[in-house]
Amino acid sequence: MTLTAGIYNFDTSAGIAAGQTLTLDAGGNPAAVFIINIGTTLTAGSGATVVLENGAQGGNVFYRVGSSATLDTSSDIQGQIVALTSITMNTSASVSCGAVHARNGSVTLDTNTIEICTLDAQGFDTAVVSPVLTNTQVALVNALNDYVAAGGILPIGLAILPATLTTDELAASLAQLSGEVSTGVAPMAMQSMSGFLDTVVRSGHKLRLPAAPRDAGVPVGMVPEKINSAYSGKYGSEPQGAQVFAYPAVAALPSRDWDIWASAYGSNTVAAANPDLGFQERTYDDRGFAAGLNYAVSDRTDVGVALSWNAAGFDLDDGLGSGSSDTVFVALRARTSTERGYLEGALGYGRSNVTTDRTVTMAGLDRFNAETTGDTLAAYVEAGYHMGAFTPFAALRAQSFSTPAYSERLNSH
């Protein structure tokens, strides 16, 4: 048979008989696309061949197979076979220009040749873009096409997606390709810093009691006259020769110049999904332990330093990835007050070791990991004024998070 460019559908099985030839004619158009949808199995008999004519390119030929494909001995085809289950290439079978992809099963080879081919221009077919795709997925399609327009060549496994997947399947693949997991790193680190900084600021909210008076011989707050008066009122006139003993002297507690503190802290946050933009629901959690030392410069002013270790993590909904971090924080804080007003502030810095993990299932099972470091800077300032039962205040917090350039690696396949 000779087929021109287009889409051909077979409800069940399809094949090329042994020794026969299938000719694909592009009619002089090198961008002509041939898509052959096969409901169940594809079979190329022994010695069967596929021939390209009039500018047809193997990179534009797709066999979408509903179950499995078999290329018998010495057969030779052109194009990409994408099988839902498995592909078997018997002895000396070959693919002159194309690839073989088995999604759920395996590719079995026996003395075979598969020649990778590229196209003169291979874009990402935007004809499949529909309301099913989110803004993020549409942006990814546009980025892929911009890459091609700038002279890049897409890998065959990526270029064939629009031709071989339904729109819903393509949307799921684009969601995996977007690499959204990387966008969860900064919020995770900043949430950890917020918890630490809150703990540091609260460590300075302790009332400092003044030293008790050192009035020897009587308890604090009482004088001998009051003691004698109470004795006379209860027992009548003071007995002749009675001696009233004063309470032992109470030593005043000195005001504390140094204050050591320790605290555990943690939080759990859920960031809602945004279906229109393509953001998945994210769950964050962190837990840490902090300790610090505060010094009272005066009864109204104190300063302090604190250290903390924090472990945090996040997960994206739909299994699109997760991340974790271990962070060491350090902070400086200060607070000063008048009879009614106060001013306090804190500066914090954190250094994190960050890892991310995600799985891509477009062509088999690929697991990608990334490791990097991150630096978090934060500042907090608050001012308030006590007005009886009310204390109006104003506060400002700012954070910055940065990482060096990093890339993912394929951990397993």
Side-chain angles (χ1 to χ4, degrees):
M1 296 181 64
T2 297
L3 302 180
T4 57
I7 300 175
Y8 299 87
N9 298 303
F10 296 85
D11 292 335
T12 55
S13 62
I16 308 172
Q20 298 299 304
T21 298
L22 170 65
T23 301
L24 304 178
D25 187 347
N29 178 13
V33 176
F34 301 81
I35 299 174
I36 302 173
N37 293 312
I38 302 168
T40 55
T41 59
L42 166 66
T43 303
S46 179
T49 59
V50 174
V51 176
L52 304 178
E53 285 189 352
N54 296 322
Q57 300 187 75
N60 277 334
V61 178
F62 307 100
Y63 308 89
R64 186 182 183 219
V65 182
S67 58
S68 299
T70 301
L71 305 185
D72 212 343
T73 56
S74 302
S75 59
D76 179 42
I77 73 163
Q78 310 264 2
Q80 285 69 233
I81 300 176
V82 183
L84 180 64
T85 307
S86 61
I87 299 173
T88 300
M89 297 182 66
N90 291 329
T91 306
S92 300
S94 62
V95 177
S96 293
C97 175
V100 288
H101 300 273
R103 180 167 183 173
N104 297 324
S106 60
V107 174
T108 303
L109 304 177
D110 180 8
T111 320
N112 310 112
T113 300
I114 302 174
E115 297 184 18
I116 303 300
C117 59
T118 58
L119 298 174
D120 294 337
Q122 178 65 72
F124 204 81
D125 188 3
T126 56
V128 299
V129 175
S130 74
V132 173
L133 302 184
T134 66
N135 292 352
T136 299
Q137 293 160 1
V138 172
L140 180 56
V141 169
N142 293 335
L144 293 172
N145 283 322
D146 289 344
Y147 170 74
V148 173
I153 301 295
L154 295 178
I156 290 295
L158 186 58
I160 65 176
L161 291 181
T164 58
L165 300 179
T166 67
T167 304
D168 289 337
E169 291 171 338
L170 179 62
S173 295
L174 290 173
Q176 292 182 345
L177 282 174
S178 69
E180 186 184 350
V181 66
S182 63
T183 66
V185 173
M188 172 181 65
M190 298 174 79
Q191 176 173 306
S192 298
M193 172 61 87
S194 291
F196 169 61
L197 214 59
D198 287 342
T199 303
V200 170
V201 171
R202 287 195 300 267
S203 73
H205 292 182
K206 294 181 175 63
L207 294 175
R208 290 174 43 77
L209 298 176
R214 302 175 182 271
D215 189 0
V218 296
V220 175
M222 300 188 70
V223 295
E225 289 78 10
K226 291 183 179 180
I227 297 175
N228 290 337
S229 174
Y231 184 93
S232 299
K234 186 173 183 180
Y235 299 101
S237 300
E238 183 178 334
Q240 185 65 31
Q243 186 176 6
V244 177
F245 293 93
Y247 292 101
V250 178
L253 296 174
S255 60
R256 293 180 299 173
D257 292 332
W258 296 94
D259 182 28
I260 300 174
W261 61 271
S263 176
Y265 63 94
S267 62
N268 181 276
T269 303
V270 176
N274 188 321
D276 293 333
L277 296 180
F279 298 158
Q280 302 297 320
E281 180 180 277
R282 296 185 189 136
T283 302
Y284 299 93
D285 68 88
D286 74 287
R287 57 252 176 232
F289 180 82
L293 182 65
N294 292 331
Y295 175 72
V297 179
S298 68
D299 285 344
R300 297 186 181 275
T301 302
D302 65 318
V303 296
V305 62
L307 290 171
S308 173
W309 171 83
N310 180 281
F314 71 91
D315 288 287
L316 293 179
D317 200 16
D318 291 336
L320 290 184
S322 62
S324 62
S325 67
D326 290 306
T327 307
V328 175
F329 290 114
V330 62
L332 299 175
R333 58 154 299 277
R335 178 183 173 94
T336 187
S337 62
T338 63
E339 290 185 1
R340 291 186 175 274
Y342 69 90
L343 176 67
E344 65 182 344
L347 294 173
Y349 168 76
R351 185 62 183 261
S352 303
N353 291 320
V354 180
T355 61
T356 62
D357 181 283
R358 67 185 177 113
T359 300
V360 178
T361 59
M362 292 176 356
L365 183 65
D366 296 319
R367 186 174 180 181
F368 294 90
N369 300 109
E371 296 181 1
T372 187
T373 58
D375 296 292
T376 309
L377 293 173
Y380 179 78
V381 62
E382 178 181 328
Y385 190 80
H386 299 297
M387 301 175 61
F390 300 97
T391 304
F393 72 95
L396 176 66
R397 176 175 298 180
Q399 286 199 48
S400 171
F401 177 77
S402 62
T403 64
Y406 70 97
S407 61
E408 294 176 310
R409 67 178 185 274
L410 184 60
N411 185 52
S412 61
H413 182 79

